[in-house]
Amino acid sequence: MTDKIARLEEVLEAMLVDDEKITARAVIRRMSGVLKYPTDITRNEKRKALVADYAGRQDKIRSAVERSSKSSRVELERQISLKNSEIERLRGEKELLIASHRAMILSTAEMGGFGTWKRFFDKYQAAIDALDGMGALPRAEVVRHPLSEQP
């Protein structure tokens, strides 16, 4: 059963790539005898749902292509330019927020409240890891004071 489902998915993916209309009859033609009749698809809920899912994907792809082909090249370039400028603006805002966040943590730590700040995030290690990955947590190097090294 799972071999037939796997083969069906392969055929549906190929039909999607080839932009061949996805119907139960068309799928049977491409199945090379694995399934013989369209009812082998329409009477089995899993197969029927899989074919419907791929047909829906195909409709979405075709409508996206249709919309984009109606737009002129100049219009598409304008839209890309707008999206690129929005991306740059968002990157700048992200960098500003990271710098601001780092400064707030440093000022909290200077006042002796870093432990309190960290307590809010103890249950959210993933958030701390994400902040660290973005560079939003300040880095500090511990250096021994020269007077403490003397006997």
Side-chain angles (χ1 to χ4, degrees):
M1 179 74 168
T2 58
D3 292 338
K4 288 182 181 180
I5 293 291
R7 176 72 178 123
L8 179 61
E9 279 190 273
E10 289 174 13
V11 166
L12 289 168
E13 194 66 41
M15 291 177 78
L16 199 60
V17 169
D18 295 342
D19 194 30
E20 182 180 341
K21 178 78 173 151
I22 296 176
T23 64
R25 287 179 191 256
V27 171
I28 293 300
R29 281 193 296 270
R30 298 264 308 237
M31 290 292 289
S32 304
V34 175
L35 297 174
K36 296 181 182 182
Y37 306 103
T39 55
D40 292 341
I41 293 172
T42 58
R43 288 186 180 168
N44 181 296
E45 290 303 317
K46 257 187 175 175
R47 294 177 195 155
K48 184 178 178 179
L50 194 59
V51 170
D53 179 51
Y54 272 86
R57 285 189 205 175
Q58 187 176 58
D59 290 341
K60 287 179 185 176
I61 291 170
R62 285 180 170 177
S63 66
V65 167
E66 180 66 27
R67 279 193 312 271
S68 70
S69 65
K70 287 182 181 177
S71 300
S72 69
R73 180 179 176 90
V74 172
E75 176 61 20
L76 289 174
E77 287 174 354
R78 187 187 71 76
Q79 288 176 1
I80 289 171
S81 175
L82 286 172
K83 293 297 179 188
N84 285 339
S85 63
E86 183 180 7
I87 289 168
E88 287 304 312
R89 181 183 58 79
L90 291 171
R91 281 185 180 148
E93 287 177 4
K94 178 185 142 197
E95 288 173 14
L96 175 63
L97 288 171
I98 288 171
S100 171
H101 195 86
R102 187 180 297 132
M104 283 190 288
I105 292 172
L106 284 172
S107 63
T108 302
E110 252 182 53
M111 296 174 64
F114 184 76
T116 305
W117 176 88
K118 189 163 179 351
R119 207 171 357 141
F120 286 109
F121 286 95
D122 277 344
K123 296 177 188 172
Y124 306 101
Q125 188 59 44
I128 291 174
D129 293 342
L131 289 169
D132 192 35
M134 284 190 280
L137 295 179
R139 304 247 184 260
E141 183 180 331
V142 177
V143 179
R144 288 200 175 274
H145 192 275
L147 296 177
S148 66
E149 292 177 4
Q150 296 176 0

